[in-house]
């Protein structure tokens, strides 16, 4: 059980902040050669042991719990308001930390589906849609990857077992109805929707329950709701799409391992190569299931150790801010205007949380992600936000929340670009 650290956390900041401008390439990366806090960690532990020998007996009980928020001196909210000629950074958000005294480090392995598992998925989705028999379209690699359609051609179903560099995929798609006409996450204009916000909320609760039941049937009940977006729906007309006047809701689910969620690539643009498994459903307002996406697959083994030290949050936030401020030096702050001057960039932090990131064994920036790798889940501080540029503040990520940076909670390794 973890005990309260008594070391001088300001010394840790001095070392961590010095690394703020050093970016370690994204994904399942190798660690920095020398963890930035190793020496300070040992000093903190020595200081703690010396101090504890001087404390009264009633204050040195081994069963005293010191929660993560106190250990890492995490504030209730993260606030910043910074502006220079190149970039503006603003934040006023709650910092999400689990109510626990330690974080477990878990072994993880990406695994492929068996043919029997894919067949089970196909049968369950057929039952959900009232499809008695799927008609094969084509197959690859001896049937490991397969495509089907419903007898009336209303649905296509593609399945890939995964393995090697292939991602495990199960993708059901309504061929005539889409919510993709307005960008991945832009809901479009909802002002014409006949339902009030309260009515949409009530209907969404019903559709979330339908999705929960389907997840249970598929054996994915350990996934939790990550987000919900109301969407305008379009219908296919030959080779074009036109708004139908109908609406639907897209639900996204991701996995939470014990006390922490995974740092989500679904909210980013490939910042972390080891994308955790996620599932999406798209329901029409009348309850018709339009889309099922089940992408990726990981299996988690037993906990093999626990964190015994976390950087103070002040050090982590300094690293994040320094990285964001240094983007101009790396040529990343916006696009150039006709005069050769870069557009001003606006970063708005919308979410900060302690999360898991998968580090793969032997993986580095020059090696492609594979789905036959083993690794471990490590704690990272995940900073999410929106990115805009120019005087009109045009969104660079369709207005959606993006993973801006992830920082290793123990040694300050930076996952980003």
């Amino acid at each position: 059980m973890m005990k309260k650290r008594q070391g001088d956390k300001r010394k840790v900041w001095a070392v961590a902040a010095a690394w703020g401008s050093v970016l370690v390439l994204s994904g399942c990366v190798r660690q920095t050669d020398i963890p930035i806090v190793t020496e300070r960690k040992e000093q903190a532990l020595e200081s703690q042991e010396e101090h504890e020998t001087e404390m009264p007996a009633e204050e040195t009980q081994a069963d005293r719990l010191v929660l993560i928020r106190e250990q890492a001196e995490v504030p209730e909210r993260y606030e910043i308001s910074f502006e220079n000629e190149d970039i503006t950074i603003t934040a006023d958000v709650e910092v999400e930390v689990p109510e626990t005294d330690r974080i477990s480090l878990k072994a993880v392995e990406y695994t492929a589906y068996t043919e029997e598992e894919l067949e089970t998925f196909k049968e369950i989705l057929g039952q959900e849609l009232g499809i008695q028999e799927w008609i094969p379209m084509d197959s690859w690699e001896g049937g490991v990857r397969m495509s089907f359609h419903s007898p009336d051609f209303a649905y296509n179903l593609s399945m890939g077992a995964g393995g090697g560099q292939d991602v495990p995929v199960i993708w059901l798609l309504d061929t005539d109805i889409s919510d993709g006409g307005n960008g991945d996450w832009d809901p479009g204009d909802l002002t014409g929707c006949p339902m009030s916000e309260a009515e949409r909320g009530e209907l969404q609760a019903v559709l979330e329950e339908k999705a929960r039941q389907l997840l249970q049937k598929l054996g994915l009940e350990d996934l939790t709701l990550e987000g919900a977006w109301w969407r305008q729906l379009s219908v296919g007309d030959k080779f074009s799409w036109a708004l139908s006047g109908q609406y639907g809701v897209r639900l996204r689910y991701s996995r939470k391992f014990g006390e922490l969620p995974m740092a989500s690539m679904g909210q980013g643009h490939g910042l972390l190569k080891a994308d955790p498994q996620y599932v999406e459903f798209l329901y029409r307002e009348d309850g018709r299931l339009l889309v099922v996406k089940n992408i990726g697959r990981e299996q988690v083994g037993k906990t093999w150790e626990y964190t015994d030290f976390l950087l103070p949050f002040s050090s982590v936030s300094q690293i994040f801010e320094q990285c964001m401020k240094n983007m101009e030096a790396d040529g990343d702050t916006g696009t150039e205007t006709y005069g050769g001057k870069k557009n001003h960039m606006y970063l708005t932090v919308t979410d900060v949380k302690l999360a898991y990131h998968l580090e793969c064994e032997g993986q580095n920036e020059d090696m492609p992600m594979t789905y036959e790798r083993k690794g471990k889940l490590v704690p990272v501080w995940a900073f999410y936000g929106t990115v805009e540029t120019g005087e009109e503040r045009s969104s660079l990520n369709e207005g959606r929340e993006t993973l801006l940076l992830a920082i290793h909670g123990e040694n300050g390794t930076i996952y980003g670009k």
Side-chain angles (χ1 to χ4, degrees), residues 134-352:
W134 290 98
I135 310 302
M137 294 172 59
D138 43 33
S139 62
W140 295 265
E141 300 178 10
V144 174
R145 181 180 177 187
M146 301 165 286
S147 294
F148 305 87
H149 64 77
S150 59
D152 60 358
F153 294 94
Y155 289 94
N156 284 343
L157 174 62
S158 297
M159 301 191 299
Q165 296 183 34
D166 292 330
V167 182
V169 171
I170 297 170
W171 196 331
L172 173 75
L173 180 67
D174 188 299
T175 59
D176 296 321
I177 304 174
S178 171
D179 69 338
N182 303 297
D184 285 346
W185 303 102
D186 180 4
D189 184 6
L190 299 180
T191 57
C193 181
M195 292 180 287
S196 66
E197 183 175 351
E199 290 172 331
R200 289 200 301 270
E202 293 176 0
L203 178 55
Q204 181 175 316
V206 173
L207 297 178
E208 287 179 11
E209 176 59 22
K210 287 174 63 71
R212 187 195 66 79
Q213 294 179 12
L214 181 52
L215 284 171
Q216 189 172 20
K217 294 176 183 177
L218 295 171
L220 300 171
E221 61 272 12
D222 59 334
L223 273 68
T224 58
L225 183 63
E226 179 181 311
W229 299 267
W230 277 89
R231 313 276 291 161
Q232 284 183 303
L233 298 181
S234 300
V235 294
D237 181 14
K238 295 182 179 179
F239 299 103
S240 63
W241 294 88
L243 293 176
S244 65
Q246 294 181 317
Y247 298 83
V249 63
R250 182 179 285 268
L251 306 172
R252 183 186 178 91
Y253 295 81
S254 58
R255 181 169 282 106
K256 185 175 182 179
F257 298 103
E259 58 268 43
L260 295 181
M262 288 287 284
S264 174
M265 261 186 60
Q267 295 170 292
H269 292 282
L271 182 63
L272 304 175
K273 290 182 181 178
D275 192 4
Q277 182 177 7
Y278 71 92
V279 172
E280 288 184 3
F281 298 121
L282 176 63
Y283 285 97
R284 196 167 63 183
E285 56 191 271
D286 61 0
R288 178 184 172 95
L289 180 61
L290 304 176
V291 172
V292 175
K293 292 170 64 176
N294 176 18
I295 312 297
R297 190 192 194 197
E298 66 267 342
Q299 291 185 339
V300 181
K302 296 180 180 180
T303 297
W304 54 283
E305 62 178 295
Y306 293 87
T307 57
D308 59 0
F309 175 83
L310 287 175
L311 284 168
F313 184 81
S314 59
S315 299
V316 174
S317 61
Q318 288 290 332
I319 294 172
F320 168 74
E321 292 161 17
Q322 190 64 44
C323 288
M324 298 299 102
K325 294 173 185 178
N326 284 351
M327 284 200 301
E328 192 278 333
D330 296 327
D332 290 333
T333 54
T335 57
E336 290 189 0
T337 64
Y338 288 110
K341 181 179 179 181
K342 288 186 177 296
N343 284 323
H344 194 83
M345 177 173 281
Y346 300 87
L347 295 180
T348 303
V349 179
T350 57
D351 198 9
V352 179

Side-chain angles (χ1 to χ4, degrees), residues 3-188:
K3 301 178 182 178
K4 183 176 182 181
R5 307 298 174 195
Q6 302 295 335
D8 188 343
K9 302 296 179 62
R10 288 174 295 181
K11 294 181 181 179
V12 177
W13 173 86
V15 179
W19 283 78
S21 61
V22 181
L23 299 185
V24 179
L25 291 177
S26 63
C28 290
V29 302
R30 56 176 179 265
Q31 294 289 323
T32 53
D33 293 335
I34 302 176
I36 67 174
V37 298
T38 300
E39 182 177 351
R40 294 300 186 267
K41 173 179 174 180
E42 293 174 352
Q43 293 175 356
L45 292 174
E46 291 174 359
S47 175
Q48 173 195 336
E49 292 172 356
E50 293 174 359
H51 183 70
E52 287 177 347
T53 60
E54 301 172 358
M55 291 176 64
E58 62 270 21
E59 297 183 14
T60 60
Q61 297 180 18
D63 59 351
R64 179 177 183 269
L65 293 180
V66 182
L67 299 182
I68 294 297
R69 188 176 293 276
E70 182 180 353
Q71 293 173 33
E73 300 175 358
V74 182
E76 292 293 333
R77 302 187 69 80
Y78 170 59
E79 301 178 19
I80 182 178
S81 180
F82 171 85
E83 181 176 4
N84 63 21
E85 62 177 349
D86 299 306
I87 190 168
T88 297
I89 307 172
T90 57
D92 185 5
V93 295
E94 180 183 354
V95 183
E96 299 181 32
V97 185
E99 293 295 319
T100 183
D101 66 316
R102 61 182 183 176
I103 303 298
S104 57
L105 305 178
K106 300 175 183 291
V108 178
E109 181 177 0
Y110 277 94
T111 56
Y113 286 110
T114 65
E115 292 188 41
E116 292 76 13
E117 289 172 324
L118 293 179
E119 184 65 25
T120 298
F121 272 99
K122 185 177 69 172
E123 292 178 0
I124 292 173
L125 292 176
Q127 294 170 3
E128 188 76 10
L129 300 170
I131 297 173
Q132 301 297 323
E133 180 182 4
W134 290 98
I135 310 302
M137 294 172 59
D138 43 33
S139 62
W140 295 265
E141 300 178 10
V144 174
R145 181 180 177 187
M146 301 165 286
S147 294
F148 305 87
H149 64 77
S150 59
D152 60 358
F153 294 94
Y155 289 94
N156 284 343
L157 174 62
S158 297
M159 301 191 299
Q165 296 183 34
D166 292 330
V167 182
V169 171
I170 297 170
W171 196 331
L172 173 75
L173 180 67
D174 188 299
T175 59
D176 296 321
I177 304 174
S178 171
D179 69 338
N182 303 297
D184 285 346
W185 303 102
D186 180 4

